[in-house]
């Protein structure tokens, strides 16, 4: 008998063994199969191993179907999955769940469909007949719906029988999900139509006229049904009448879901001597190192160096993955890459819908249509056939780490591991590398190449520090703005230049609070203040999405003196406008960028100088390249500096340097103004001097003294439960056990910054694993300890969430 071990897309520790019926003998490792798991659930599973060992403890069920003709996951991908599961302490199922786009993961939610074959109903039994009948009416049913129709839980044998009688489709349905999207196009059969036929048919005439207009406008004889109906504001019926009259015909045409890019003339350029030199050093470094760090100041032209490097790699017939920390950034970089690589670049990130992602997946698997993939962290999971280089841009960004769900992997580190498995190279790049990375570079683990001046001889921006403690004391602040900042803004606007104002989101969201008793509006299920959203006049929780109407009366003392505290970007915009009534001010923050293309629109508007002042949060800092920004203002540096985290100084340095880097990128030196209460802070001075190394060395010393990365590895355990006491007790129990093995290297249990989310109480324990211990063994040991607490009857429903290398 042949058996397969499969991975299910579920958080289960084990793999499961199924039997392979003879008709599915062709199954191979890396193919998808449909299996039943539990009483009535069906899943797509991935075949992990094929063997002949009968499982000892249970009777293996048969696989129901094989979905692929070729493996969709390679051995090397499996190796990566195993590494992730092992390193980040999660299951292979978790990895599979993250790695595969949903279209590739069927489950009992999947729909059944009837085959086109003439169904011989006489061969069906009563229940089967019922299902087929329902399918004839409803076209599609999910497996769950079938179970409702039959009023029984186990429908497995019925589905199987229907499948074997070839009455219904499961496999086809799955494949169909990738079917290229189609559009319906209208063409005209008779342009010189006699308008008499429209007599008494005004609506039809309107459709016809719109059609003629559109063909002229779009310069094409084919117009989509959708556009025609929209433009002529008419109904499908009217159009259909015209088809019947022989004026129009409608045809269906398949289109790709992947946006098509017309190759315009590709641009060529030359590197400056310094860039050329850096490129040579990188290539030289790759001869002996797998990973090279390119440390180049903002606007030193790192992207241009990548482009030259990528050209070489694809000329050798290899693929390139260009990783970015955020979707937002892909929009600008894609335009830059397409100028050099045209339609050779594919984009992959989570704002694409499932079908689009499925399509890119199969493009990467089957054809080499995209030798270059530009994407966010999940693009590390695409089925590359011949990956030669991974570029990790802005490598210091914490958004490379998946924080909210398992696997809590860091795409930068995962990329390094994957490249190692594949024998590919990794180029990490940043103007402000993470301490860990720079440490690896200085200790020769990574190669290091430095670019210390901006492209084109542009000077680094001049950074001024505005001591707002002093200004506030003299009562000269105008809201959040010092007179100095307002003056500089004015100057820039007069010079027809643009301004960026940066406001850190943390701690500055406007909250609703009572003037007389200090009460603040809080979320019902989380331990956080609600944030005021002016446009919608709502108070919202940013953790669980709860919202309520603005209150006018204090809920504690009934005073009417409820006010807004804090400066969100919205408030800044409102305060700033009266100073510059003619200026166009826009915001770039979570609120204004919710819709799919909103980010791009704002960025384009700013690039095209339709916006004078752009106020934004962290989103603004990430590697954007604008030509006409002469001033960058940091509204308040303190919230960054005083955030309770061992990385807060490193992060503040990175953030301020990155925002500052948006100023004066082309032609002229830019100016940066940092408003702060801590004008004498070392970090602020390091930013001012553009002195990464002094920040690095002083921080490294702190890390060594207090034992933090890179001098140890961190593993955090979040303990959570709906009951306050149980949470505390379980956390204490676990901490005690951990202390026995790791003594003073266990921190906590402590309340995290937000100690209750969605009605669950949270407690955090941090374990430092020193270089003297085996990381792997320590993790296994910690898992065992957690398991032993979990097994105690009173803690059965406590949740333990492990995060390795928390960010
Ligand atoms: P970084 O990524 O290091 O911050 P960029 O790659 O964005 O810097 O480069 C800064 C600016 O200089 C960009 O507008 C870029 O187009 C321009 N630039 C850099 N190198 C060259 C080059 N060799 N030729 C022409 N323009 C360049
Ligand atoms: Zn009150
Ligand atoms: Zn909440």
């Amino acid at each position: 008998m042949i058996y397969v071990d499969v991975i299910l897309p579920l958080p289960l520790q084990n793999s499961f063994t199924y039997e392979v019926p003879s008709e599915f003998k062709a199954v191979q490792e890396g193919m998808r199969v449909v299996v039943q798991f539990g009483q009535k659930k069906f899943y797509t599973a991935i075949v992990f191993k094929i063997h002949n060992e009968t499982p000892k403890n249970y009777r293996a069920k048969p696989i129901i179907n094989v979905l692929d003709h070729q493996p969709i996951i390679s051995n090397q991908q499996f190796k990566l999955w195993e590494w992730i599961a092992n390193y980040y302490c999660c299951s292979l199922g978790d990895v599979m769940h993250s790695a595969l786009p949903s279209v590739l993961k069927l489950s009992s939610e999947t729909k059944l469909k009837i085959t086109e074959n003439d169904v011989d109903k006489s061969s069906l039994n009563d229940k089967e007949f019922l299902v087929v009948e329902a399918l004839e009416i409803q076209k599609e049913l999910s497996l769950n719906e079938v179970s409702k129709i039959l009023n029984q839980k186990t429908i497995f044998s019925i589905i199987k029988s229907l499948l074997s009688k070839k009455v219904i489709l499961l496999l086809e349905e799955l494949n169909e999900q990738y079917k290229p999207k189609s559009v319906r196009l209208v063409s005209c059969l008779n342009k010189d139509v006699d308008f008499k036929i429209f007599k008494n048919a005004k609506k039809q005439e309107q459709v016809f006229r719109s059609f003629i207009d559109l063909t002229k406008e779009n310069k094409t004889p084919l117009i989509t049904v959708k556009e025609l109906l929209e433009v002529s504001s008419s109904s499908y019926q009217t159009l259909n009448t015209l088809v019947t009259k022989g004026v129009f015909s409608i045809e269906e045409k398949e289109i790709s879901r992947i946006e098509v890019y017309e190759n315009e003339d590709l641009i060529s350029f030359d590197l400056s001597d310094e860039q050329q030199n850096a490129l040579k050093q990188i290539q030289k470094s790759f001869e002996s190192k797998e990973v090279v760090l390119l440390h180049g100041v903002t606007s030193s032209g790192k992207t241009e160096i990548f482009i030259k490097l990528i050209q070489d790699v694809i000329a050798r017939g290899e693929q390139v993955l260009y990783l970015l920390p955020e979707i937002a950034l892909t929009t600008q970089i894609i335009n830059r890459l397409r100028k050099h690589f045209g339609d050779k670049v594919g984009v992959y990130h989570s704002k694409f819908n499932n079908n689009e992602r499925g399509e890119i997946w199969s493009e990467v698997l089957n054809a080499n249509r995209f030798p270059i993939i530009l994407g966010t962290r999940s693009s590390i999971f695409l089925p590359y056939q011949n990956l030669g280089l991974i570029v990790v841009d802005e490598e210091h960004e914490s958004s490379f780490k998946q924080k909210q769900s398992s696997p809590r992997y860091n795409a930068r580190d995962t990329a390094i591991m994957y490249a190692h498995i594949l024998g590919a190279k990794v180029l990490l790049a940043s103007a402000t590398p993470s301490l860990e990375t720079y440490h690896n570079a200085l200790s020769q683990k990574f190669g290091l190449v430095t670019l210390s001046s901006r492209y084109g001889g542009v000077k680094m921006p001049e950074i001024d520090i505005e001591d707002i403690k002093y200004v506030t004391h003299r009562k000269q602040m105008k809201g959040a703005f010092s007179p100095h900042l307002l003056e500089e803004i004015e100057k820039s606007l007069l010079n027809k230049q643009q301004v960026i104002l940066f406001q850190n989101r943390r701690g500055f969201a406007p909250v609703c609070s009572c003037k007389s008793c200090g009460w603040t509006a809080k979320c019902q299920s989380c331990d956080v203040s609600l944030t005021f959203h002016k446009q919608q006049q709502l108070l919202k929780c940013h953790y669980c999405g709860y919202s309520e109407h603005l209150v006018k009366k204090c809920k504690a003392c009934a005073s009417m003196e409820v006010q807004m505290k804090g400066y969100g970007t919205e408030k800044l915009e409102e305060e700033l406008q009266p100073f510059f009534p003619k200026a166009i001010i826009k915001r770039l923050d979570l609120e204004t960028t919710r819709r799919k293309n909103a980010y791009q629109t704002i960025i384009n508007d700013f690039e095209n100088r339709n916006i004078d002042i752009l106020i934004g949060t962290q989103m603004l800092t990430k590697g954007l390249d604008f030509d006409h920004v002469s001033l960058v203002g940091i509204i308040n540096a303190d919230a960054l500096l005083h955030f309770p985290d061992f990385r807060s100084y490193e992060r503040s340095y990175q953030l301020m340097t990155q925002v500052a880097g948006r100023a004066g990128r082309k032609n002229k030196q830019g100016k940066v103004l940092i408003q702060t209460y801590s004008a004498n802070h070392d970090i602020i001075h390091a930013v001012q001097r553009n002195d990464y190394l002094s920040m690095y060395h002083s921080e490294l010393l702190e890390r060594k003294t207090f034992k933090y990365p890179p001098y140890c590895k961190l593993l955090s355990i979040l303990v959570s439960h709906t009951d306050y006491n149980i949470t505390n007790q379980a956390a204490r129990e676990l901490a005690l056990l951990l202390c026995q093995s790791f003594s003073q290297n266990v921190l906590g249990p402590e309340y995290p910054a937000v100690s209750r989310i969605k009605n669950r109480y949270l407690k955090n324990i941090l374990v430092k694993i020193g270089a003297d211990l085996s990381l792997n063994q320590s993790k296994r040991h910690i898992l065992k300890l957690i398991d032993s607490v979990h097994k105690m009857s009173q803690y059965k429903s406590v949740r333990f969430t492990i995060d390795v290398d928390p960010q």
Side-chain angles (χ1 to χ4, degrees):
M1 201 45 165
I2 307 173
Y3 295 98
V4 287
D5 290 348
V6 304
I7 310 169
L8 288 156
L10 300 168
L12 304 164
Q13 277 314 320
N14 306 321
S15 61
F16 292 82
T17 305
Y18 287 82
E19 190 187 291
V20 180
S22 57
E23 72 245 55
F24 297 132
K25 262 197 334 239
V27 69
Q28 293 173 37
E29 287 168 9
M31 286 183 178
R32 291 170 309 143
V33 291
V34 179
V35 296
Q36 186 192 13
F37 185 77
Q39 278 307 305
K40 55 164 183 175
K41 295 222 159 111
F42 294 86
Y43 289 98
T44 301
I46 295 259
V47 176
F48 184 56
K49 214 175 121 193
I50 300 180
H51 59 86
N52 298 349
E53 288 158 47
T54 314
K56 292 198 179 67
N57 307 324
Y58 56 94
R59 221 183 80 77
K61 289 179 192 155
I63 58 174
I64 297 171
N65 214 338
V66 177
L67 297 175
D68 300 306
H69 303 296
Q70 71 183 104
I72 63 156
I73 299 294
S74 66
N75 274 338
Q76 289 157 324
Q77 279 173 289
F78 275 138
K79 273 200 192 131
L80 181 71
W81 289 19
E82 281 179 296
W83 177 80
I84 293 175
N86 196 37
Y87 187 88
Y88 293 105
C89 301
C90 65
S91 70
L92 275 172
D94 281 333
V95 184
M96 172 184 172
H97 188 67
S98 254
L100 293 187
S102 313
V103 282
L104 298 176
K105 294 175 293 193
L106 163 100
S107 72
S108 9
E109 305 302 306
T110 309
K111 305 256 166 30
L112 294 177
K113 222 174 170 174
I114 201 147
T115 46
E116 310 283 285
N117 309 340
D118 265 334
V119 177
D120 175 12
K121 288 189 186 146
S122 60
S123 71
L124 305 176
N125 67 27
D126 287 354
K127 284 189 171 157
E128 291 169 0
F129 187 81
L130 260 173
V131 177
V132 170
E133 207 179 44
L135 275 172
E136 279 173 344
I137 301 165
Q138 297 200 22
K139 296 242 160 34
E140 279 182 7
L141 289 174
S142 73
L143 299 192
N144 280 343
E145 285 168 324
V146 171
S147 129
K148 273 188 208 130
I149 290 170
L150 297 178
N151 195 20
Q152 73 182 58
K153 280 190 183 146
T154 49
I155 54 164
F156 169 59
S157 56
I158 298 164
I159 298 299
K160 202 182 148 201
S161 157
L162 283 169
L163 279 170
S164 67
K165 288 175 185 166
K166 303 208 184 331
V167 186
I168 59 164
L169 288 178
L170 202 60
L171 166 72
E172 307 306 324
E173 163 65 18
L174 280 175
N175 290 341
E176 229 167 47
Q177 293 192 21
Y178 305 98
K179 246 198 184 161
K181 198 163 121 183
S182 61
V183 283
R184 285 181 303 160
L185 296 169
V186 185
S187 58
C188 184
L189 299 174
N190 178 9
K191 273 227 172 74
D192 311 311
V193 78
D194 186 349
F195 271 69
K196 267 188 213 141
I197 65 163
F198 296 134
K199 214 173 147 204
N200 303 325
K202 274 267 160 310
K203 274 191 190 154
Q204 290 172 25
E205 185 177 338
Q206 204 175 330
V207 175
F208 188 78
R209 284 186 190 280
S210 299
F211 178 86
I212 299 295
D213 290 348
L214 279 170
T215 52
K216 279 184 196 143
E217 215 170 278
N218 300 356
K219 298 198 183 78
T220 158
L222 298 170
I223 304 298
T224 64
V225 169
K226 188 162 170 256
E227 189 178 12
L228 181 56
L229 295 184
E230 256 166 32
V231 169
S232 62
S233 27
S234 9
S235 70
Y236 187 74
Q237 231 163 15
T238 318
L239 178 60
N240 209 16
T241 318
L242 287 169
V243 174
T244 329
K245 282 189 178 167
V247 180
F248 288 142
S249 87
I250 297 180
E251 59 177 319
E252 199 136 322
K253 193 172 164 248
E254 281 182 0
I255 53 165
S256 168
R257 281 193 187 82
I258 305 169
E259 171 199 356
V260 186
Y261 176 78
E262 306 274 333
N263 274 334
E264 286 165 23
D265 293 340
L266 302 185
I267 290 174
S268 72
F269 65 98
D270 295 315
L271 295 180
S272 69
D273 289 348
E274 206 191 349
Q275 285 172 322
Q276 189 63 43
N277 196 8
L279 177 65
K280 278 210 189 103
Q281 285 182 48
I282 294 169
Q283 282 162 334
K284 184 104 213 328
S285 241
F286 276 147
E287 287 170 14
S288 58
K289 304 269 192 301
E290 290 180 354
V291 184
V292 173
L293 167 66
L294 174 60
H295 177 207
V297 297
T298 53
S299 207
S300 52
K302 296 186 285 297
T303 322
E304 262 69 16
I305 296 177
F306 303 158
I307 290 170
K308 291 287 184 198
L309 205 58
I310 293 171
Q311 276 169 347
D312 284 353
V313 177
I314 62 173
R316 292 201 300 263
E318 295 172 349
Q319 291 165 308
V320 176
L321 166 62
Y322 189 138
L323 275 176
L324 283 166
E326 247 158 84
I327 295 171
L329 263 184
T330 59
T331 52
Q332 236 196 1
I333 298 289
I334 188 69
N335 292 337
R336 286 176 73 176
L337 291 186
R338 278 181 176 156
K339 284 191 190 136
H340 305 283
F341 300 107
D343 60 4
K344 290 202 182 93
V345 200
V347 184
Y348 190 79
H349 58 60
S350 60
K351 283 230 168 134
F352 284 148
N353 68 35
N354 281 317
N355 286 323
E356 287 167 328
R357 291 218 258 174
E359 202 164 320
I360 302 244
W361 182 285
S362 50
E363 286 291 344
V364 174
L365 183 68
N366 295 316
N368 209 2
R369 177 159 149 212
F370 300 120
I372 307 160
I373 290 287
L374 177 70
T376 51
R377 57 174 183 254
S378 59
S379 47
I380 192 79
F381 293 118
L382 286 170
Y384 305 98
Q385 303 298 296
N386 189 16
L387 194 60
L389 173 72
I390 305 177
V391 175
V392 185
D393 201 0
E394 310 294 341
E395 69 82 30
H396 63 280
E397 279 292 336
S398 63
S399 31
F400 277 121
K401 171 94 179 176
Q402 174 155 305
K403 302 182 187 82
Q404 302 302 339
S405 61
S406 189
R408 293 180 165 74
Y409 68 104
N410 186 319
R412 175 197 61 200
D413 302 338
T414 306
I416 292 173
M417 185 33 96
Y418 199 25
H420 178 72
I421 294 172
L422 298 172
K425 302 289 180 192
V426 180
L427 181 65
L428 306 176
S430 173
T432 53
S434 69
L435 240 59
E436 288 90 334
T437 295
Y438 206 74
H439 183 71
N440 280 330
L442 289 190
S443 54
Q444 312 282 318
K445 200 175 153 195
F446 299 166
L448 174 63
V449 176
T450 309
L451 277 172
S452 51
S453 57
R454 289 189 147 185
Y455 174 77
V458 175
K459 282 199 194 133
M460 294 305 290
E462 177 196 342
I463 300 179
D464 277 1
I465 298 167
E466 183 71 2
D467 182 352
I468 48 176
K469 203 192 296 162
Y470 177 76
V471 185
T472 308
H473 189 70
R474 303 188 56 175
K475 299 206 163 44
Q476 287 169 343
M477 287 297 280
K478 307 254 192 287
F481 305 95
S482 63
H484 187 181
L485 180 55
L486 291 175
E487 243 166 64
E488 291 293 340
I489 297 176
E490 169 119 57
K491 246 195 251 165
S492 288
L493 295 180
L494 276 177
N495 290 330
K496 300 261 178 296
Q497 294 290 302
Q498 293 169 294
V499 176
I500 285 178
L501 296 177
F502 170 75
Q503 172 67 303
N504 180 43
R505 194 159 15 110
R506 265 181 187 153
F508 274 85
V511 298
C512 168
S513 94
C514 170
K515 230 175 173 173
S516 33
C517 78
W519 168 88
T520 53
K522 288 205 155 185
C523 176
Q524 301 172 325
S525 6
C526 312
D527 179 31
V528 284
S529 303
L530 295 173
T531 305
F532 177 55
H533 289 241
K534 190 174 167 232
Q535 234 163 7
Q536 297 157 296
Q537 289 287 308
L538 286 176
L539 294 168
K540 284 192 190 171
C541 171
H542 287 184
Y543 285 82
C544 72
Y546 166 83
S547 72
E548 64 180 42
H549 286 290
L550 188 59
V551 286
K552 297 222 164 59
K553 202 157 94 181
C554 170
K555 284 190 183 167
C557 74
S559 142
M560 295 300 282
E561 285 196 281
V562 175
Q563 59 168 10
M564 277 328 136
K565 261 188 8 197
Y567 280 95
T569 42
E570 226 177 54
K571 177 99 184 267
L572 284 179
E573 181 185 7
E574 189 182 285
E575 266 185 9
L576 191 62
Q577 191 76 70
F579 291 107
F580 307 101
K582 284 201 200 113
I584 300 170
I585 307 177
K586 284 270 149 64
R587 288 183 291 131
L588 187 76
D589 52 29
L590 264 182
E591 268 303 286
T592 56
T593 52
R594 271 193 216 290
R595 278 175 307 104
K596 188 173 172 188
N597 293 322
Y599 183 89
Q600 189 153 17
T601 313
I602 299 176
I603 295 298
N604 286 348
D605 278 351
F606 197 61
E607 271 174 357
N608 299 330
R609 303 168 87 167
N610 297 329
I611 297 172
D612 300 311
I613 305 173
L614 189 58
I615 305 178
T617 55
Q618 262 80 337
M619 269 185 198
L620 260 180
T621 61
K622 317 230 159 109
L624 291 168
D625 182 32
F626 301 113
D627 292 348
H628 305 283
V629 176
S630 64
L631 175 70
V632 166
I634 296 176
I635 301 297
N636 186 318
D638 301 73
L640 298 170
L641 285 169
H642 305 309
F643 193 78
D645 181 275
F646 74 92
R647 285 197 177 94
S648 67
Y649 288 179
E650 179 192 350
R651 291 262 158 81
S652 308
Y653 181 88
Q654 290 165 337
L655 205 54
M656 285 190 260
T657 303
Q658 293 287 349
V659 203
R662 302 313 115 208
R665 290 171 72 86
K666 279 263 171 79
N667 318 322
K668 261 177 69 189
Q669 186 186 20
K671 180 152 199 160
V672 179
L673 196 72
I674 303 178
Q675 298 194 142
T676 175
Y677 286 96
S678 323
N680 288 320
H681 203 290
D682 283 347
I683 289 293
I684 302 232
H685 288 279
V687 173
Q688 189 175 30
R689 294 193 313 269
N690 188 32
D691 192 350
Y692 175 82
L693 281 177
S694 90
M695 182 283 291
Y696 171 79
H697 288 297
S698 74
E699 277 302 287
L700 203 66
L701 197 62
E702 294 278 306
R703 303 276 179 96
K704 194 166 187 175
T705 314
F706 297 103
K707 199 167 182 185
Y708 277 103
Y711 295 100
C712 70
K713 284 273 181 182
L714 295 181
L715 185 147
S716 92
I717 305 158
L718 188 69
V719 183
S720 80
H721 194 270
T722 49
D723 184 284
Y724 177 77
N725 290 323
I726 293 179
T727 311
N728 279 330
Q729 284 155 11
R732 206 177 318 128
E733 194 95 39
L734 179 61
L736 281 175
L737 286 176
L738 287 166
C739 280
Q740 288 170 10
S741 314
F742 298 93
S743 55
Q744 76 271 32
N745 288 327
V746 179
L747 305 185
E750 271 171 9
Y751 291 110
V754 177
S755 62
R756 187 172 57 113
I757 293 177
K758 294 183 191 166
N759 281 324
R760 296 185 78 90
Y761 293 90
L762 311 173
K763 258 288 162 74
N764 208 48
I765 303 172
L766 196 65
V767 186
K768 298 176 180 175
I769 304 170
D772 50 327
L773 297 177
S774 147
L775 183 59
N776 206 12
Q777 277 170 22
S778 305
K779 279 185 212 157
R780 300 308 122 198
H781 184 58
I782 293 170
L783 287 176
K784 244 196 249 156
L785 296 180
I786 292 176
D787 204 44
S788 69
V789 177
H790 211 169
K791 282 211 174 87
M792 297 182 199
S793 58
Q794 67 272 39
Y795 302 136
K796 279 227 152 49
S797 50
V798 174
R799 205 181 287 159
F800 297 90
T801 310
I802 302 173
D803 189 353
V804 179
D805 301 339
Q807 279 288 321

